[in-house]
Amino acid sequence: MTPGTRLKRLAPVAVIALAGVLAAPAGLSGQAAQVPAPAGAVQSQSGFERIIVAAGRSVVLTMPFDIKKIAITNPEIADATGVSPRELLIDGKAAGTISLIVWGEASRVQYDLEVDPGITTLQSRLQSLFPGEDIEVSVSDGAVVLSGHVSSNTVMLRAAEIAEASTPDHKVINLLQLPGGQTSQQVLLQVRFAEVNHNTLADLAASFFTTRTAFTSSSTTEQFAAPLLQANNGVTTATFSDLLNLFYFNQNQGIGGVIKAIQQTSDFESLAEPNLIAYNGQEASFLAGGEFPVPIVSGIAGQVTVSYKEFGVRLKFKPTIAGDTIRLHVRPEVSTLDFGNGVTLSGFRIPALTERWAETDVELRDGQSFAIAGLLNNLAQNNRAAIPFLSEIPIIGNIFKSRDKQGQHTELLVLITPRLVRPLSPDEVPPLPPMPMIKGSGGGVGPTLKGGGGLLDAPTSSSTPAPKKPGGGGGGGE
């Protein structure tokens, strides 16, 4: 038979289903002979030779015998096509491991065909970008693992960033080691929140009124509450809803006035100092505050359900440890209830939220600190009212004017210090402070406690007991 004739017979059976393999004659299994492994195959844990190909790449497999039939368990992961009597073209499609079975005239060979998701390309890219660095790339259950040893923190972090950008569908696990190794995989974040709120208020207004037998009169800018004059059976009464600050009334002349001249200042300072521990690469959060109910009306019948929204001092951060360098993605937030801008729904008073937050990425060493400041909120409001024409009279026109000035100044400062920490062994735990009623010596229960009254939870004293005198025993005399 000529080679051309063999190719024609091989083409119709280039790829067959696994069911065809199961239907093969039993006599062929008994005639299968051991053949040497072709080039490009390595031993796998299952005992079969392993062929590795990257997704989107192809490899040519050369067999030591003429190929009669081939089978692949999952054509969606890889495909195989006969290109010559003894050569197979294997195309990688998707990540996974499947079986490849090749039959000859009197032989049969099985391989484990492993398709990697382009990891070989990623490793070659890292080696070209960081020459001389020992960086190994492998894949395991949808995760890309970086292992080996690198010379600096920068190489360690940049290699992880390149791996995340190159394989967005896989989780990147960074196991790269620095010289000396890493002593801790946990970060303690010490945070200080300081908020200062300063409010000012200045009001100035005057209202005058006159009661006569023939008439009554009053003047007001309506910016503040003025007395209400009412005449009943020749008697005029004045009703005051707010006496303001100064009140004067001359009963003989029937002349009176109220003056509001007031200044107010208020200061408020809040401080929170949360300490939070997070594992390397894991996000941690902290909230010091509370929740307020928010009614939600739904349905045609107007059914009201209640949900809760958080407020207060919140902190979220995610650390990445690279040697003695800590990269932080941090988001501090401070929110307060604002009833002035709230709404009323179905009889419920729902407050608004005043929020101040910042989100950033920083890189620090162990024990270093950084501050987020400049979160300012300045509010100034100046309301003026005046009586037309009368307020324009020189000198005395000022008594027909009113003024209301309000100011609010809020500043938020966040100070953050990350530290690398490790758990304490039992002999490193410091003793608890002694209780006031327990004494280290003398009477009471102190001497009977293990470790002594002043060393609660401390290790037992290792003092050596005094040796007994020779012959000492039952205390017999002469």
Side-chain angles (χ1 to χ4, degrees):
M1 182 178 297
T2 63
T5 305
R6 293 177 181 174
L7 282 176
K8 290 181 181 179
R9 294 183 57 190
L10 180 64
V13 292
V15 180
I16 63 175
L18 185 60
V21 179
L22 299 177
L28 182 60
S29 175
Q31 298 175 1
Q34 298 293 333
V35 297
V42 296
Q43 190 72 21
S44 65
Q45 294 181 356
S46 61
F48 300 108
E49 302 295 336
R50 184 176 61 175
I51 303 173
I52 302 176
V53 60
R57 298 294 183 89
S58 300
V59 65
V60 176
L61 181 63
T62 303
M63 303 300 298
F65 52 81
D66 291 344
I67 303 172
K68 298 298 182 180
K69 186 170 55 177
I70 58 176
I72 286 183
T73 54
N74 191 351
E76 295 182 358
I77 294 179
D79 199 357
T81 305
V83 296
S84 72
R86 295 195 176 191
E87 288 184 343
L88 288 177
L89 178 63
I90 301 176
D91 301 320
K93 296 181 178 180
T97 302
I98 59 176
S99 296
L100 170 65
I101 306 175
V102 183
W103 283 269
E105 189 69 33
S107 303
R108 184 191 65 205
V109 183
Q110 182 172 342
Y111 302 99
D112 285 342
L113 182 56
E114 181 177 335
V115 181
D116 287 342
I119 299 303
T120 304
T121 305
L122 175 59
Q123 182 162 353
S124 62
R125 183 179 305 172
L126 292 177
Q127 290 176 351
S128 62
L129 293 175
F130 308 106
E133 303 289 348
D134 180 20
I135 302 178
E136 297 291 336
V137 182
S138 59
V139 61
S140 176
D141 296 333
V144 176
V145 181
L146 302 181
S147 59
H149 296 80
V150 293
S151 58
S152 65
N153 298 332
T154 303
V155 175
M156 179 179 182
L157 296 175
R158 296 296 181 268
E161 292 175 355
I162 295 174
E164 291 176 354
S166 302
T167 56
D169 298 334
H170 295 74
K171 180 181 179 181
V172 177
I173 301 176
N174 192 352
L175 299 179
L176 294 175
Q177 298 291 327
L178 292 169
Q182 297 180 185
T183 59
S184 177
Q185 287 289 324
Q186 298 179 103
V187 176
L188 169 65
L189 200 66
Q190 298 175 333
V191 185
R192 296 181 182 179
F193 289 89
E195 182 183 16
V196 178
N197 194 334
H198 179 71
N199 298 325
T200 59
L201 174 66
D203 293 335
L204 179 61
S207 299
F208 300 96
F209 62 93
T210 301
T211 60
R212 295 292 185 180
T213 304
F215 67 91
T216 59
S217 64
S218 64
S219 67
T220 177
T221 61
E222 294 296 338
Q223 189 171 10
F224 303 102
L228 177 63
L229 302 179
Q230 293 179 339
N232 188 10
N233 298 327
V235 179
T236 303
T237 59
T239 303
F240 297 90
S241 60
D242 185 3
L243 294 180
L244 304 182
N245 301 99
L246 302 176
F247 168 70
Y248 171 79
F249 180 71
N250 190 323
Q251 295 182 353
N252 296 328
Q253 301 296 328
I255 299 175
V258 288
I259 299 176
K260 182 169 186 177
I262 186 173
Q263 289 184 347
Q264 294 180 352
T265 60
S266 61
D267 297 298
F268 172 75
E269 179 179 355
S270 65
L271 180 64
E273 297 186 9
N275 293 335
L276 202 59
I277 296 180
Y279 189 73
N280 183 21
Q282 302 296 324
E283 184 180 271
S285 61
F286 166 86
L287 175 65
E291 297 180 340
F292 65 96
V294 178
I296 300 176
V297 181
S298 60
I300 301 177
Q303 183 179 1
V304 179
T305 59
V306 179
S307 63
Y308 290 86
K309 186 174 180 61
E310 298 176 341
F311 70 95
V313 178
R314 179 191 297 274
L315 173 66
K316 290 183 179 180
F317 81 101
K318 180 179 179 180
T320 302
I321 303 175
D324 59 347
T325 301
I326 307 171
R327 176 175 292 183
L328 290 176
H329 178 83
V330 61
R331 177 189 169 96
E333 176 183 340
V334 176
S335 58
T336 56
L337 299 179
D338 184 4
F339 288 92
N341 295 321
V343 296
T344 302
L345 179 63
S346 300
F348 295 95
R349 183 65 175 174
I350 306 174
L353 278 181
T354 300
E355 295 184 345
R356 291 167 299 281
W357 59 269
E359 186 172 6
T360 183
D361 288 277
V362 295
E363 189 172 292
L364 301 171
R365 293 188 180 274
D366 182 19
Q368 292 182 337
S369 302
F370 77 96
I372 301 177
L375 299 176
L376 303 178
N377 182 22
N378 290 324
L379 177 63
Q381 185 176 0
N382 191 357
N383 299 322
R384 296 178 181 271
I387 300 176
F389 304 112
L390 295 179
S391 61
E392 300 176 1
I393 301 176
I395 303 177
I396 65 173
N398 292 326
I399 64 177
F400 299 102
K401 299 178 181 179
S402 62
R403 182 182 64 189
D404 176 28
K405 295 180 63 176
Q406 298 181 13
Q408 183 179 11
H409 175 81
T410 304
E411 182 175 2
L412 177 64
L413 172 66
V414 183
L415 186 65
I416 299 177
T417 304
R419 298 184 184 276
L420 295 175
V421 295
R422 63 176 180 84
L424 294 177
S425 57
D427 56 346
E428 293 177 329
V429 178
L432 295 176
M435 299 177 64
M437 72 288 294
I438 299 179
K439 304 296 182 181
S441 60
V445 298
T448 63
L449 293 178
K450 185 178 180 180
L455 295 174
L456 295 180
D457 292 346
T460 308
S461 176
S462 59
S463 58
T464 304
K468 296 182 180 181
K469 294 181 179 180
E478 295 180 5

